[in-house]
């Protein structure tokens, strides 16, 4: 009964390919996020969706396109992969609003290696 | 520029010692989060600090928040080897993460 799950866990691909990472949460949260952790362990938010609506879209190349088919799922599609896209991508979820803690729960991560 | 700075970036300490990790942020943040990350693993939520003056403790770790000073601290008491990990703070404005503090506790 994993709370936030991601697939695949590892992804090795060639430059120029298109790939997707899937994320699902069973916590009943209404907000989901994608983060990128680079080789120096710096973490940066990429996108956030609340009730399937995009609420945060940081300066991410438009080769990255998130899709949220419902509140429990947030997928990340990456076109024309580049070497610099190699990183660990984390999905997270939380409730949203000013009254709660909005504590984020993270998935196990997807390690993407672009050759 | 939006920043969340942690110091130190690296911390090597002896078992049994105390130490504090600092998290300074440049914009207002009504709450502050602390996480732990073990090598090759995901982030584990440690503390959620919801208001100015909040203090939370769990085992040998204690976190506090001063929103006026834009400062949060993570205090380690009598460190043990199992606390070796990387610790991150995160504000709520654009969910910016701190740079991380890699802690190594030596036996």
């Amino acid at each position: 009964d994993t709370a936030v799950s991601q697939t695949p866990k590892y992804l090795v691909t060639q430059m120029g390919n298109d790939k997707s990472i899937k994320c699902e949460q069973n916590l009943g949260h209404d907000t989901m996020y994608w983060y990128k952790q680079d080789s120096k362990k710096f973490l940066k938010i990429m996108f956030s969706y609340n009730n399937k609506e995009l609420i945060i879209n940081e300066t991410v190349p438009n080769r990255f396109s998130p899709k949220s088919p419902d509140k429990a799922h947030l997928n990340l599609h990456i076109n024309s992969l580049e070497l610099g896209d190699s990183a660990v991508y984390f999905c997270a979820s939380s409730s949203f609003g000013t009254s709660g803690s909005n504590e984020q729960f993270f998935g196990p991560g997807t390690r993407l290696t672009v050759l | 520029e939006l920043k969340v700075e942690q110091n130190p970036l690296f911390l090597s300490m002896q078992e049994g010692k105390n130490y504090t990790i600092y998290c300074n942020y440049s914009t207002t943040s009504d709450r502050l989060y602390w996480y732990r990350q073990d090598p090759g693993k995901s982030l584990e939520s440690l503390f959620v600090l919801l208001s100015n003056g909040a203090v939370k403790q769990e085992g040998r770790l204690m976190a506090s928040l001063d929103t006026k000073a834009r400062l949060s601290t993570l205090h380690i008491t009598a460190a043990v080897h199992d606390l070796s990990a990387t610790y991150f703070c995160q504000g709520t404005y654009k969910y910016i993460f701190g740079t991380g503090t890699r802690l190594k506790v030596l036996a």
Side-chain angles (χ1 to χ4, degrees):
Chain A
D1 56 344
T2 307
V4 183
S5 59
Q6 292 178 231
T7 54
K9 191 170 172 61
Y10 299 96
L11 188 49
V12 181
T13 188
Q14 298 287 332
M15 266 176 42
N17 284 351
D18 303 338
K19 291 292 178 186
S20 292
I21 306 172
K22 295 186 176 183
C23 178
E24 177 180 1
Q25 56 95 4
N26 62 6
L27 297 168
H29 290 154
D30 56 4
T31 304
M32 297 184 72
Y33 312 80
W34 277 111
Y35 291 91
K36 178 180 180 180
Q37 186 171 43
D38 64 21
S39 58
K40 295 183 179 178
K41 306 302 180 190
F42 292 133
L43 281 152
K44 189 169 181 187
I45 192 165
M46 301 173 70
F47 303 103
S48 176
Y49 271 74
N50 173 248
N51 284 319
K52 302 194 298 174
E53 296 294 324
L54 183 66
I55 57 171
I56 294 177
N57 182 358
E58 285 304 294
T59 50
V60 176
N62 56 17
R63 298 181 295 103
F64 290 79
S65 53
K67 282 189 172 51
S68 182
D70 55 57
K71 288 195 302 183
H73 296 85
L74 180 61
N75 303 322
L76 184 65
H77 187 75
I78 316 169
N79 289 326
S80 304
L81 278 155
E82 299 178 357
L83 293 176
D85 297 333
S86 295
V88 180
Y89 292 84
F90 287 103
C91 175
S93 73
S94 74
S95 58
F96 187 80
T98 55
S99 60
S101 71
N102 298 358
E103 182 179 11
Q104 293 183 34
F105 294 84
F106 283 76
T110 295
R111 182 175 294 275
L112 171 64
T113 303
V114 183
L115 304 175
Chain B
E1 182 189 350
L2 301 173
K3 278 187 186 179
V4 178
E5 294 181 324
Q6 284 181 237
N7 69 83
L9 296 183
F10 298 96
L11 176 56
S12 181
M13 58 192 296
Q14 297 288 332
E15 275 195 329
K17 297 293 187 184
N18 304 333
Y19 209 85
T20 300
I21 298 169
Y22 296 89
C23 173
N24 290 88
Y25 50 97
S26 62
T27 59
T28 56
S29 185
D30 59 350
R31 61 198 73 181
L32 198 290
Y33 306 94
W34 282 96
Y35 300 89
R36 168 183 172 142
Q37 186 179 36
D38 291 296
K41 302 292 187 183
S42 184
L43 284 88
E44 174 192 352
S45 177
L46 292 175
F47 299 106
V48 178
L49 303 169
L50 294 178
S51 60
N52 185 42
V55 176
K56 289 202 172 177
Q57 181 159 8
E58 181 74 34
R60 300 173 188 273
L61 300 177
M62 184 172 71
S64 66
L65 178 62
D66 181 344
T67 55
K68 292 177 183 174
R70 297 182 182 173
L71 171 68
S72 181
T73 62
L74 181 65
H75 186 73
I76 304 155
T77 302
V80 293
H81 180 71
D82 284 352
L83 289 179
S84 297
T86 300
Y87 294 85
F88 291 95
C89 62
Q90 182 193 32
T92 52
Y93 187 73
K94 298 203 171 188
Y95 297 103
I96 296 176
F97 271 91
T99 44
T101 297
R102 189 178 296 179
L103 171 65
K104 188 172 183 179
V105 181
L106 305 171

